[in-house]
Every structure is written in structure tokens, then in C-alpha cells.
Amino acid sequence: MACEFLSENARSSFVDSVDTFLIDCDGVLWHGNDLIDGANRTIQSLRSLGKRLFFVTNNSTKSRLQYSQKFDRLGMKATPEEVISTAYASAQYLKGKVPSKGKVYLIGSTGLIKELDEAGISYIGTGPDPVSGDGYRLDEWAKCPLDPEVKCVLVGFDEHFSFIKMLKAASYLRNPDCIFIGTNEDSQLPLKNNQITIPGTGCMVSAVAMASNREPIYVGKPHQPMFEILKQRHEIDPDRTCMIGDTVSTDIAFGKNNGLKTLLVMTGSTDKAHLEMMKTSKEDGIIRPDYYLDSITQLA
């Protein structure tokens, strides 16, 4: 049975057993734009011990450079090479899969735009694409122009997601050779507000999947493509790698799916009731972290 509290006496030997830490960001290091107290000290401590750190996020709205700049603003250094976002992972996954004259139909925002540019991949579809007029306009929609050079549909977070974008994406996906990529399947964005729910990328990917009757390849946590890209670039040994996160269904499942050690912190989306359920339930199939801490600051 896993899901043990990582005691103070055991922390030193645990850290010694790990060469590489993969660390989620929101809920582990910060909340929005507010740094979690002591998180910076832990990062500095791990670096001083010679540990390799990579910051692994499902957020596709920022590029690696933009994330690195956010770390700088919060007083916590991280190079773009240390950031693995779904925007970067999606662009890397598609390199070599989209023909040189082919295009991606992109439902996404700045992070994906910048990473596709960096990878030299052509795309269309960015920005608003609203419905014109009101009512049921079947004749008009049936004449919607499509680009014959589109070879992939890539869906990330897009604040301009619309009926027309869903229509175009589903129409491109009628071609069975058209690749269908979803950056991640998170249903909601993290927000410390009990009155507002912000739909996540998974809602947009699911809408396109249902409209096209196609299943996407998910790049981000908890799926394997993001880790495969990371492992290939940096020669990571899974047996000596630990995933630290605040969300069981993405971070901890990502670690389990890739054969990593897992450490859950209680500063984000997992509450005490969920923790107790994981510790006491005898049901098969429940995802449990190897260890947990109240905060990443306790690892310092």
C-alpha cells in the first residue's frame, strides 16, 4: 500500500534516491501569480544537491520562454530548457509527422503559436472565428472553406473557441489520415474561487472529438508522449526520477504511467478527504502516490 507521509527522517534518503525531479507548477510552486511560501528555498536546495529539475505543466497558453520569464518574475530561476509545457511537447511531437508543405489547424493561443513557430510548423486557425448572424444556417455552414493542406488538428486552450472552429476541426478530421492532437484533458482550470468554474482544455478537445467521432492523441499529463519527449532529450532514468504534483489524476497518474516515483503535495487540488480515501480504500485501480507532504517546502 502506497500513499505514505514522507517523514522527516526519511526525506534525506528519499532525495538521495532521485537524480531528476519533475515538478508541476500551479498548486505546487505557486497559485496563479503568488509564490507558495518556501517553494523557492526548496528549488534552491535541490539544485545545490546537484539534482536535475524539469517543470512539467499541462498549460498550453505559454511557451517555454514565457514560463521562464514567469519564474524570473517570481524570483525562482528556470531556463526555457527546464520547462516542459504541453505547447512545447505538442510541437515536438508533430515534428516529422506533418509534411513540409502541410499545415496544422490550430485551436489554441500564444504558447502553441510560439512553439509551432520555433519548430518550423505551419498553421492556420488562430484568433476569433465567430458565427455570423443568428439561427440555424445549415446552407452557409455547408459552404465553409477548408484548406486542403491541413494534415493535423491540434486543440489546446483557446479563449476564442467557437462553433465554427469546432465545425472546421471536425471537417478536417473526416480525413482519416489527418492527425488529431489534444494538448491535455483537464476539465477545469485551477482557481481559488468557489463561485466561478473555468472550463479547461479537455472541454474543447472533447467537443471536437464528439463532433468528429475521432479519439485524440493526448500529449500532456497523465499520458506518455510528454515524458517520452523529455526522456529522449535528456536521457532520464525513470527509476531515479520523481514526479511532484498536487493533482492525482494528472501528476501522480503521469508518474505511475511512466514508471516514476511519485510525491503528492497538499497545496493544490487534492483535499484531505481525497487523501484519506486513497489511504484507506481497498478498491483496485485507485491511483495513489508513493508519498505525500503538506507542501514541497518540507522537502528542503
Side-chain angles (χ1 to χ4, degrees):
M1 179 75 72
C3 204
E4 299 177 12
F5 182 75
L6 187 60
S7 68
E8 190 170 350
N9 291 336
R11 289 171 200 168
S12 179
S13 59
F14 175 77
V15 171
D16 286 344
S17 73
V18 177
D19 296 330
T20 305
F21 285 93
L22 311 184
I23 305 172
D24 181 45
C25 298
D26 209 321
V28 177
L29 301 176
W30 58 64
H31 293 131
N33 291 312
D34 299 320
L35 193 65
I36 290 174
D37 289 342
N40 195 7
R41 185 172 64 252
T42 299
I43 297 305
Q44 291 173 349
S45 174
L46 293 175
R47 289 193 190 281
S48 72
L49 293 170
K51 306 301 179 182
R52 290 198 300 174
L53 307 182
F54 294 97
F55 303 96
V56 184
T57 174
N58 271 358
N59 190 334
S60 68
T61 65
K62 292 183 177 67
S63 67
R64 292 186 301 162
L65 177 60
Q66 289 172 312
Y67 255 104
S68 177
Q69 292 168 342
K70 178 171 183 174
F71 274 90
D72 286 344
R73 289 195 302 271
L74 294 175
M76 185 187 301
K77 297 294 183 181
T79 66
E81 191 68 16
E82 292 176 317
V83 177
I84 309 297
S85 68
T86 50
Y88 168 75
S90 297
Q92 294 303 304
Y93 183 86
L94 287 173
K95 286 181 73 172
K97 292 182 173 63
V98 176
S100 58
K101 293 184 179 180
K103 297 176 184 175
V104 170
Y105 180 68
L106 175 60
I107 296 176
S109 50
T110 307
L112 282 164
I113 290 170
K114 289 183 178 295
E115 294 295 354
L116 289 176
D117 284 339
E118 187 74 20
I121 298 173
S122 300
Y123 54 87
I124 61 171
T126 58
D129 197 353
V131 175
S132 59
D134 296 321
Y136 192 70
R137 308 170 67 86
L138 188 59
D139 290 342
E140 180 181 324
W141 299 334
K143 298 175 183 177
C144 186
L146 299 175
D147 189 330
E149 294 183 344
V150 168
K151 307 299 180 185
C152 170
V153 170
L154 170 57
V155 184
F157 184 83
D158 188 344
E159 64 270 35
H160 300 298
F161 186 73
S162 65
F163 175 80
I164 293 298
K165 290 194 174 194
M166 181 168 58
L167 181 154
K168 289 180 179 179
S171 299
Y172 287 124
L173 290 169
R174 289 172 64 91
N175 177 1
D177 294 327
C178 185
I179 305 168
F180 182 16
I181 303 294
T183 58
N184 60 291
E185 53 185 329
D186 297 42
S187 61
Q188 297 178 8
L189 300 185
L191 181 68
K192 295 291 184 180
N193 185 324
N194 292 329
Q195 296 181 334
I196 298 295
T197 295
I198 301 182
T201 303
C203 303
M204 303 168 197
V205 182
S206 294
V208 173
M210 180 170 285
S212 63
N213 199 27
R214 291 274 303 270
E215 287 298 319
I217 298 168
Y218 284 107
V219 172
K221 300 176 291 187
H223 303 279
Q224 292 181 319
M226 182 182 279
F227 182 71
E228 290 301 317
I229 291 166
L230 183 60
K231 185 169 66 172
Q232 290 169 10
R233 299 288 187 279
H234 301 284
E235 298 182 357
I236 290 173
D237 179 2
D239 291 336
R240 295 189 60 83
T241 301
C242 176
M243 178 68 213
I244 303 177
D246 68 302
T247 306
V248 175
S249 61
T250 54
D251 303 321
I252 302 307
F254 178 72
K256 295 293 183 182
N257 289 342
N258 292 289
L260 317 178
K261 304 176 195 294
T262 54
L263 175 63
L264 176 72
V265 295
M266 303 298 294
T267 48
S269 65
T270 304
D271 58 23
K272 291 182 179 180
H274 190 185
L275 177 64
E276 288 304 313
M277 183 277 293
M278 290 187 292
K279 291 167 66 175
T280 60
S281 176
K282 293 182 171 57
E283 292 184 25
D284 293 333
I286 291 179
I287 301 168
R288 297 180 176 90
D290 297 318
Y291 301 99
Y292 72 92
L293 289 171
D294 295 328
S295 168
I296 195 174
T297 62
Q298 293 174 309
L299 197 61

